[in-house]
Amino acid sequence: MTPTSASPPLDAASSDDTARWTPRLVAILIALIWPTQLLAAAGILGANATASVAQSFHTTQVAWFGLTVVLVSTLLTPFVMKMGDRYGKKRLMLVMTGLGVSGDIIAALAGSFWLLLVGRAIAGCYGPFAALSFPAVRDIFPARLVKPASAVLGSSVGLVALAAPFLAGRLVDGWGYKGVMWFLAAASVVGFALIALLVPQTPRHDFRPGFDWLGGLALGAGLTAVVYAVGQGQSWGWADAKTFSWLAVGLVALVVFFFVERSSAHPILDLKVLSRRPVALVLVTGGLAQAVAFTMPAMAILLALYPHIPGVSAGLGWTAQHNAAVSVTWNVVMFGTGLVASRLLRTTDARLLWWTGLALMAVGYGLVGFFHANETELILTSCLANLGSGLVVAGAPALVVGVVSKDEQGLGSGMLNMLINFFGAIVTALSFAALATHSTVVDGTAFYQDGGYAWLFWTGALITVLTLAISLLIPALRDPAETDAAPVV
């Protein structure tokens, strides 16, 4: 059976005027949400399992436990984008989910640290899943439901942030890192079954012969090297030769990629699409804004869990369980806002929700910088910030839908996914640099004072303000309910 012989997209059977949510559409959306947001859960669970890994294998290289997945995911994303358009997204989803199950099982059974990393590398093949799930929404859902369905798919990360910290505590406390690995393997099996049973095959969007392996390797390797250098720069030192070497390798690879793509008969990325002003503006601002929305809460965990030592450390000294209980408030706000946004996107210009979300994020994180001394202050200020974050993660997919055609959706969503990872590394590095402005080193351990935490959140606010300023240049968007034939220029 060829990819095009599968069931037609659901929107083929429903006119845009009569398109409504049906039990089948809801089931398909759940089937896409589960494996997509399992990536976010894996990040939270993995971060909580890191200490257990270090103690189990007595290694000082434990950073590779999380870094391996990020690097493999970044390297493979260009190929996943292209293969999804060429062979159909469902088949590739099943392959990637199957590799995720295999990798997590190998990691759970590993008797040595290097074998654990092999398992994590294989599981990293599952990392670019979002580069397929968002384009699949556009292929499967009626045109009038594409924006709200994409918004729910994106904002459901709030549910993950709500439950994952509690789950992480139980798994790590009861079974160590192996409990996390076995849970992820079982959850991936569920995701595989949901995709296989509920998600229809998507049509092919690329029929050109040949495959640009060199371009894909140059792009993936270049971004991977830059992300690695930025991620390690804080520990190596920004002036260290290793940092400069990895940055240089990454930049050279990216230059090679642009030359290869310009001469390739079948480029892995269509640079003409990416060079269109609306597309470039949406991808850059979408990547930056979501990098802030995902990075700031993760960095805030340092404030919550670091000890309170007058004159040395201004952490709040909470337990992980207490932090999880407090953070329930702003994660509920984020998810609820995303649901409301999914309704509003059917009749409201996505840019208005996007600009509103960025403004609320900027004000919210600016206030967190001033007020973060206790639960009440953090709840009030973080809820405001996450009110904005909910609009941002719900609105970003709608922006992409509004500037690319259906055939270009895989490229747009895949590039957005890559830029979130890329900018995420940069925002994290800037956040640690902000923390370091007011830090004290005791017995080789850096503790952060109140000024450092303030600048951490102000950095997030400033980046968001910059993103908002650039976002104001985004022109009017197309509605997917209209024709997809002519791209925005």
Side-chain angles (χ1 to χ4, degrees), residues 77-381:
T77 298
F79 299 101
V80 169
M81 287 188 289
K82 192 70 169 180
M83 290 180 177
D85 283 341
R86 178 158 296 189
Y87 304 113
K89 299 175 182 65
K90 177 176 180 175
R91 291 181 177 179
L92 196 55
M93 286 178 179
L94 292 173
V95 170
M96 293 167 63
T97 308
L99 288 171
V101 173
S102 301
D104 290 331
I105 290 175
I106 291 173
L109 296 174
S112 62
F113 186 61
W114 73 266
L115 187 57
L116 173 72
L117 295 184
V118 169
R120 295 290 281 168
I122 295 173
C125 297
Y126 179 60
F129 192 92
L132 297 175
S133 58
F134 285 97
V137 167
R138 191 162 188 182
D139 282 332
I140 295 170
F141 281 71
R144 285 189 61 195
L145 297 182
V146 167
K147 289 194 293 184
S150 298
V152 174
L153 180 59
S155 62
S156 57
V157 69
L159 282 180
V160 174
L162 186 68
F166 294 103
L167 178 62
R170 290 185 176 275
L171 292 173
V172 174
D173 291 344
W175 299 279
Y177 80 91
K178 291 188 176 183
V180 169
M181 294 296 99
W182 282 116
F183 172 82
L184 292 176
S188 297
V189 169
V190 174
F192 185 95
L194 290 173
I195 297 166
L197 296 174
L198 298 175
V199 177
Q201 183 59 277
T202 60
R204 294 173 59 187
H205 295 285
D206 185 358
F207 297 90
R208 292 173 293 182
F211 199 92
D212 186 15
W213 292 102
L214 179 58
L217 285 172
L219 176 61
L223 287 175
T224 301
V226 173
V227 169
Y228 180 56
V230 173
Q232 296 294 95
Q234 187 68 30
S235 57
W236 286 346
W238 294 109
D240 190 88
K242 287 189 293 185
T243 305
F244 280 115
S245 297
W246 278 99
L247 281 174
V249 168
L251 293 176
V252 168
L254 292 176
V255 171
V256 170
F257 162 73
F258 282 108
F259 280 106
V260 169
E261 293 304 279
R262 292 179 63 182
S263 60
S264 176
H266 39 78
I268 197 163
L269 295 185
D270 190 339
L271 296 182
K272 292 181 180 179
V273 174
L274 299 179
S275 64
R276 296 203 307 259
R277 186 170 67 93
V279 177
L281 286 171
V282 164
L283 293 181
V284 170
T285 57
L288 265 175
Q290 291 185 93
V292 173
F294 297 145
T295 301
M296 286 296 108
M299 296 298 299
I301 295 176
L302 295 177
L303 168 65
L305 302 187
Y306 262 55
H308 183 75
I309 306 173
V312 177
S313 173
L316 298 176
W318 295 349
T319 65
Q321 289 295 319
H322 184 67
N323 178 59
V326 174
S327 65
V328 162
T329 53
W330 54 78
N331 288 319
V332 167
V333 167
M334 182 178 183
F335 179 64
T337 303
L339 291 180
V340 172
S342 70
R343 299 278 298 181
L344 294 175
L345 281 169
R346 298 189 66 169
T347 56
T348 305
D349 188 337
R351 295 176 302 167
L352 297 178
L353 296 183
W354 177 256
W355 295 330
T356 302
L358 289 173
L360 290 172
M361 269 181 60
V363 173
Y365 282 123
L367 290 175
V368 176
F370 286 106
F371 306 105
H372 53 258
N374 52 52
E375 291 91 334
T376 301
E377 290 186 357
L378 266 180
I379 288 173
L380 293 176
T381 54

